[in-house]
Amino acid sequence: MARRAATVLSLLFLATSVLSHEHHNELSEEEQNAPIDTVLWLHIFLQAAVWGVIFPTGMVLGLSRSRWHVPLQSAGFALTIAGYILGHSHKGRAFLAGAHGKMASILFVPIALQLFLGIYLKLHIHEQTLRPWAVRLHGVVGKAYPILGWVQMLFGAITFGGYCRGGNLGQCLAHYIMGGGFIAYGTIMAIFLLAGESWVRRSGRSPDWWDSWVIMLWGIVNTFTEHRGTHWSVKDMQHTILGVLWWAGGILGIFLSRNNQRSVVPALIIILTGWAMSDHAQALMLSTKVHAVFGYTLMSAGLARIIEICFVAPKYSQDAPEGDAHSEHTLDASHDENGITSPSRAFRHLPPFLLVASGLLFMSATDEELHFVNDQGMDHVTYILIMFSIAFVIYSLVVSLIHLYATSGRNAAASGKEDGAIELTSANKWYAPVPAADIEPANHVIGDDD
């Protein structure tokens, strides 16, 4: 295995040394509008498969200590080098130099580091000195792969469309950062739903406490970055006051969710943000429609979250069977006597999915993208349904990876009460009504995550 990894590492450095990027600073209109050849399409689909599916799957298998982790990641390294070569070998359409090409070169740093750490760990040397630190670093770099891959795929889409240049950069950053934030929020919420509740309980903080801190810090940044120059446009005023809303509401949310209490303030902020975006002034009717549906979707996510906090989650936790065989890696898997999952558990997928969908809608609502869609003669209904279809695919991938973690490697045979299980008491139970209510007897046990 070490020899195979060393071979891939050698190919990696060979690829970076012999290939020069073919993006240019100046291009003719003919070059920019040339047909896309088969090689470029292969590059796109191969890299999307590697960074969107293979590497995240390999990361999950690494977390669960599966024996398939190393073979899958090794295959991913080889395929991404092949994709890199294809990306520099295509003919036809040419692209201006941009972040995608630069990021492609930067990505070789974590790839090379991960390969080096993998080879080192396979040697099983320095067991008491360097190896523990190498294990931690290997884990940190591996967990960063899905984020790095997501960013690079976005850069690729931006390069493909020729977007986000000149005066459009600021709007692109606002839409892609905030939209990506909503998708990340929904993903983390899904992780807590399916695999991470016991970790949140051990942290001693309710999910809303963490949410409120993120909202508050994000609001502070937005308050001072959304306006430039001396003239205040309507959008400047709206975006800036949204920043104020977030840090002001975040402070209240932090206070109300202290001592492991649930709070509806983060969900209320999501609703107000969605309402503001649904009535956001836009130049194109298509843009107005897309922003409106984005706002309605975000408002629905906030409303669903309030219902979950106040009505669904307490019932769900109280219905959990004692000694559930999957309690260590799933959120109190509620089943009836026939093994059918509780409806309350199904409802709890609604807020994270709506957050993912709203984030994708917002990312797809820049002026350049919507002008392109308008020029193609596509109506807002078709465009919005395309975005929701992509949201279904993304959320399917997210929950599939979480399920894979719970059913692979060391988690495959997990059953019963594990070592380190914690006992639910009034001090550590965070799935409580607002305000906190009485809970089930103290002998209800939830298994810890390893």
Side-chain angles (χ1 to χ4, degrees), residues 10-22 81 84-85 88-89 105 108:
S10 301
L11 291 173
L12 174 69
F13 286 112
L14 178 62
T16 56
S17 62
V18 302
L19 291 175
S20 58
H21 213 282
E22 296 183 0
I81 294 171
Y84 182 85
I85 294 173
H88 293 77
S89 305
S105 300
F108 281 114

Side-chain angles (χ1 to χ4, degrees), residues 424-436:
L424 289 186
T425 67
S426 58
N428 66 14
K429 177 177 165 29
W430 53 267
Y431 269 133
V434 181

Side-chain angles (χ1 to χ4, degrees), residues 235-301:
K235 287 187 177 182
D236 286 347
M237 288 186 282
Q238 288 182 350
H239 290 161
T240 301
I241 196 59
L242 277 175
V244 175
L245 173 78
W246 292 339
W247 64 252
I251 292 173
L252 176 61
I254 292 171
F255 179 79
L256 293 180
S257 57
R258 72 195 190 283
N259 299 327
N260 292 335
Q261 298 301 305
R262 304 305 307 269
S263 169
V264 299
V265 171
L268 182 60
I269 293 173
I270 290 175
I271 292 175
L272 291 172
T273 302
W275 168 76
M277 291 293 103
S278 69
D279 204 26
H280 215 27
Q282 304 295 326
L284 288 175
M285 179 58 68
L286 174 65
S287 182
T288 300
K289 295 284 189 180
V290 172
H291 277 81
V293 174
F294 157 67
Y296 300 151
T297 305
L298 196 58
M299 293 167 67
S300 300

Side-chain angles (χ1 to χ4, degrees), residues 70-256:
V70 173
L72 189 62
Q73 294 299 73
S74 299
F77 290 138
L79 289 174
T80 199
I81 294 171
Y84 182 85
I85 294 173
L86 289 173
H88 293 77
S89 305
H90 70 88
K91 306 297 181 183
R93 183 176 300 182
F95 301 92
L96 292 168
H100 182 65
K102 296 176 182 177
M103 185 71 174
S105 300
I106 293 174
L107 283 177
F108 281 114
V109 175
I111 289 175
L113 179 60
Q114 199 72 335
L115 278 170
F116 172 79
L117 290 171
I119 295 171
Y120 174 80
L121 293 175
K122 280 293 181 182
L123 297 176
H124 289 280
I125 58 176
H126 310 127
E127 295 283 353
Q128 304 300 322
T129 54
L130 297 179
R131 181 178 169 81
W133 294 99
V135 170
R136 293 186 178 92
L137 182 59
H138 186 72
V140 170
V141 176
K143 292 180 181 69
Y145 267 49
I147 299 174
L148 295 172
W150 173 257
V151 172
Q152 177 65 339
M153 285 188 286
L154 290 181
F155 285 160
I158 290 169
T159 300
F160 190 85
Y163 302 141
C164 305
R165 296 186 178 275
N168 296 304
L169 179 59
Q171 188 192 69
C172 270
L173 290 173
H175 277 258
Y176 279 85
I177 292 174
M178 181 179 290
F182 286 132
I183 293 175
Y185 190 3
T187 300
I188 294 171
M189 194 179 292
I191 292 172
F192 287 161
L193 166 65
L194 296 173
E197 181 176 359
S198 59
W199 178 88
V200 177
R201 284 185 174 133
R202 291 200 307 273
S203 74
R205 304 290 184 180
S206 74
D208 316 304
W209 186 87
W210 297 102
D211 293 354
S212 298
W213 268 103
V214 173
I215 289 171
M216 184 194 71
L217 295 174
W218 195 309
I220 292 173
V221 173
N222 263 44
T223 300
F224 298 103
T225 58
E226 288 297 326
H227 169 66
R228 297 177 181 84
T230 57
H231 173 70
W232 281 81
S233 67
V234 173
K235 287 187 177 182
D236 286 347
M237 288 186 282
Q238 288 182 350
H239 290 161
T240 301
I241 196 59
L242 277 175
V244 175
L245 173 78
W246 292 339
W247 64 252
I251 292 173
L252 176 61
I254 292 171
F255 179 79
L256 293 180

Side-chain angles (χ1 to χ4, degrees), residues 204-409:
R205 304 290 184 180
S206 74
D208 316 304
W209 186 87
W210 297 102
D211 293 354
S212 298
W213 268 103
V214 173
I215 289 171
M216 184 194 71
L217 295 174
W218 195 309
I220 292 173
V221 173
N222 263 44
T223 300
F224 298 103
T225 58
E226 288 297 326
H227 169 66
R228 297 177 181 84
T230 57
H231 173 70
W232 281 81
S233 67
V234 173
K235 287 187 177 182
D236 286 347
M237 288 186 282
Q238 288 182 350
H239 290 161
T240 301
I241 196 59
L242 277 175
V244 175
L245 173 78
W246 292 339
W247 64 252
I251 292 173
L252 176 61
I254 292 171
F255 179 79
L256 293 180
S257 57
R258 72 195 190 283
N259 299 327
N260 292 335
Q261 298 301 305
R262 304 305 307 269
S263 169
V264 299
V265 171
L268 182 60
I269 293 173
I270 290 175
I271 292 175
L272 291 172
T273 302
W275 168 76
M277 291 293 103
S278 69
D279 204 26
H280 215 27
Q282 304 295 326
L284 288 175
M285 179 58 68
L286 174 65
S287 182
T288 300
K289 295 284 189 180
V290 172
H291 277 81
V293 174
F294 157 67
Y296 300 151
T297 305
L298 196 58
M299 293 167 67
S300 300
L303 178 61
R305 183 66 165 167
I306 289 177
I307 294 172
E308 180 205 343
I309 290 171
C310 296
F311 304 107
V312 175
K315 295 178 182 178
Y316 185 78
S317 184
Q318 291 165 2
D319 289 343
E322 183 175 351
D324 185 356
H326 300 287
S327 61
E328 183 186 10
H329 302 294
T330 61
L331 258 182
D332 295 333
S334 289
H335 302 83
D336 61 16
E337 63 275 10
N338 298 317
I340 299 175
T341 303
S342 166
S344 62
R345 182 177 181 82
F347 179 87
R348 294 185 61 199
H349 280 287
L350 187 58
F353 169 73
L354 290 174
L355 283 169
V356 170
S358 63
L360 195 63
L361 281 168
F362 196 59
M363 292 174 68
S364 66
T366 64
D367 286 345
E368 291 177 293
E369 290 171 307
L370 294 177
H371 273 289
F372 173 79
V373 172
N374 188 65
D375 292 341
Q376 299 302 309
M378 186 184 297
D379 69 323
H380 68 281
V381 175
T382 303
Y383 188 63
I384 290 168
L385 291 179
I386 290 173
M387 293 303 112
F388 266 95
S389 299
I390 298 173
F392 281 123
V393 172
I394 292 175
Y395 194 70
S396 296
L397 178 62
V398 169
V399 295
S400 297
L401 290 175
I402 299 172
H403 176 75
L404 179 64
Y405 167 76
T407 58
S408 64

